[in-house]
Amino acid sequence: MPKQSAPQALAGIAPKLVEVTDEVLFGDVWQRPGLSPRDRSLVTVSALTALYRGEQLGYHLGVALDNGLTVEELSEAITHLAFYAGWPNAMTAINQLKKIADERGA
């Protein structure tokens, strides 16, 4: 998995948030050996979908594809979540997945 980082454009307004995102979240938590990057992506996408966190979801759908999840697997996870996290959450997520898949030609 390529090293992830917070948007550096935010460093001017929130330097500490960018620092802890890079060093703690992506530098430590995402690097722990207990789960593969693929599994961490599936958990992250599921949590963001369930919590209706659309602003971060698009980025993490792309990371999930980069980490080896397929569009079909993500679609199935989102469909499953519709019954646990709510239909609007799933529809928002699936629309974002479609946009990213279309952009990537997947």
Side-chain angles (χ1 to χ4, degrees):
M1 175 183 88
K3 176 110 168 80
Q4 298 177 64
S5 64
Q8 295 307 301
L10 297 177
I13 193 166
K16 188 63 176 181
L17 180 59
V18 170
E19 177 187 329
V20 296
T21 299
D22 289 349
E23 292 180 11
V24 178
L25 178 60
F26 295 132
D28 180 23
V29 175
W30 270 85
Q31 304 306 316
R32 293 175 51 81
L35 291 173
S36 68
R38 180 188 185 283
D39 291 345
R40 288 187 190 281
S41 281
L42 185 57
V43 170
T44 301
V45 166
S46 295
L48 292 172
T49 297
L51 295 171
Y52 204 67
R53 302 299 195 255
E55 186 173 327
Q56 294 292 308
L57 180 60
Y59 171 78
H60 281 284
L61 286 166
V63 171
L65 292 169
D66 293 342
N67 283 338
L69 284 156
T70 66
V71 171
E72 293 77 17
E73 289 169 326
L74 290 167
S75 175
E76 189 62 30
I78 292 166
T79 299
H80 187 77
L81 283 165
F83 293 92
Y84 293 93
W87 212 264
N89 295 18
M91 292 303 290
T92 296
I94 209 69
N95 275 302
Q96 286 197 29
L97 178 59
K98 181 183 183 324
K99 179 181 176 206
I100 292 164
D102 289 349
E103 289 171 355
R104 292 180 176 217

